[in-house]
Amino acid sequence: MSVSRYPGEHLLDRLGMPARSDAPAASEARFPDGGSWRTELPSCEGPEVLAAALEESERLEVPVHRISQGSGIWMLTDAEITEMVKACEERHIELCLFVGPRGTWDIGAGVKASSGGSGPRARGRDQLAQCVEEAERAVALGVRCLLVADEGVLWTLHRLRAAGVLPADVTFKVSALVGPVNPAAYAIWEKLGGDSINVPSDLTIGQIAELRAHSAAPMDFYVEAPDDLGGFVRLYDAAELIRCGAPIYLKFGLRNMPGIYPVGRHLRDLAVNAMRERVHRGRLALDILQRLGADGGMSPLGSRLPGTLNRFPTDGDPR
């Protein structure tokens, strides 16, 4: 896909301004359906928030490929997960739930240090086992995409998938909390089993192109990032993100709101209203793409698989 025009260039040209610098090369990689980009609504914390997301996306005509959750599988009852799975299946939207628990909620004091300690990773064998337990539970209830913030958890789940213990069509999404920032790291997350990989929203377009040149794994990118991930608002970069980062998920986050994880009824109204505004931000990004003539190449709705990716060998794992 090529961008028909860059914003404002036709007006700067009339004033004799110097031409813009050369842009990074376009990505030739695509999703297996031929599309270059998909959409995602993050932080969908339960059935009530999901209902708001579906209602608002229909009202504003915002196409949605994936809806993801951040509080964790363990914060949802079986009935709530089943309700969310059914609602997403009816609309051919992929539902992604976060495995947990994770280190930021653990009793270890390191996470309170200025360095953040081990951050969101699973601490010790017990938390690794608890994450695997949550994955097994969610998959049994029909969830086919799991959000992961630990390389050990990812490798363990990928080995279970490769061994046939987890279904082959389960996909693993790498969390923005541990997103890689260089090409070698990005490729390693792919080899560990990542099917789409969040990268920080402070990377330049050139750095995005560098990651893409090293790996074909789909990329997840917050076009607007929540405050705890930097609060970056990059609506006008969406076209270049698609051109240089394809295949890519454009994630419509929300700046300027408090953290809500783990969510609950005490934060219901905030979570619902925030989701409605995320859909609105998505509409703004899509409108910009349309005005620039850069809205072509979106994957068909209902598409979810990442295609063939490069993995570390798992030969010898028990079946």
Side-chain angles (χ1 to χ4, degrees), residues 32-259:
D33 54 64
S36 55
W37 60 286
R38 297 174 182 170
T39 61
E40 178 179 336
L41 292 174
S43 301
C44 187
E45 307 305 299
E48 291 173 305
V49 184
L50 175 59
L54 297 175
E55 178 184 309
E56 201 72 358
S57 61
E58 181 176 352
R59 186 180 74 85
L60 295 179
E61 299 182 349
V62 174
V64 180
H65 293 83
R66 177 197 282 162
I67 287 178
S68 58
Q69 176 249 18
S71 292
I73 296 164
W74 62 331
M75 291 295 165
L76 295 169
T77 66
D78 286 5
E80 288 170 330
I81 294 174
T82 300
E83 182 179 347
M84 295 176 75
V85 167
K86 183 175 185 294
C88 286
E89 283 182 347
E90 288 174 350
R91 294 161 179 82
H92 306 290
I93 295 172
E94 181 174 52
L95 175 66
C96 183
L97 301 184
F98 210 151
V99 298
R102 42 198 186 268
T104 43
W105 299 344
D106 192 35
I107 59 173
V111 73
K112 303 298 183 183
S114 59
S115 67
S118 60
R121 288 172 167 81
R123 284 169 43 89
R125 189 182 186 280
D126 283 352
Q127 277 202 351
L128 171 62
Q130 290 158 11
C131 287
V132 172
E133 173 83 10
E134 290 291 87
E136 181 183 47
R137 172 179 169 236
V139 168
L141 293 170
V143 177
R144 286 297 179 269
C145 183
L146 301 172
L147 181 55
V148 183
D150 181 283
E151 55 270 58
V153 172
L154 176 60
W155 178 239
T156 301
L157 293 177
H158 174 60
R159 289 175 61 196
L160 291 171
R161 177 176 60 182
V165 179
L166 293 177
D169 66 342
V170 170
T171 57
F172 304 128
K173 168 180 162 63
V174 176
S175 169
L177 299 175
V178 293
V181 294
N182 65 70
Y186 192 89
I188 285 175
W189 282 101
E190 175 191 0
K191 291 181 177 181
L192 288 171
D195 296 297
S196 69
I197 304 170
N198 269 283
V199 298
S201 293
D202 64 347
L203 294 182
T204 66
I205 298 298
Q207 289 167 334
I208 293 293
E210 291 170 352
L211 299 185
R212 175 52 65 222
H214 213 62
S215 168
M219 187 177 296
D220 300 342
F221 194 95
Y222 272 104
V223 179
E224 179 171 346
D227 294 75
D228 59 355
L229 294 177
F232 308 107
V233 182
R234 302 184 63 176
L235 301 182
Y236 266 108
D237 283 339
E240 281 292 89
L241 288 167
I242 293 171
R243 191 182 72 85
C244 297
I248 190 170
Y249 282 86
L250 300 182
K251 297 179 61 177
F252 306 130
L254 187 61
R255 181 178 178 167
N256 195 29
M257 70 163 286

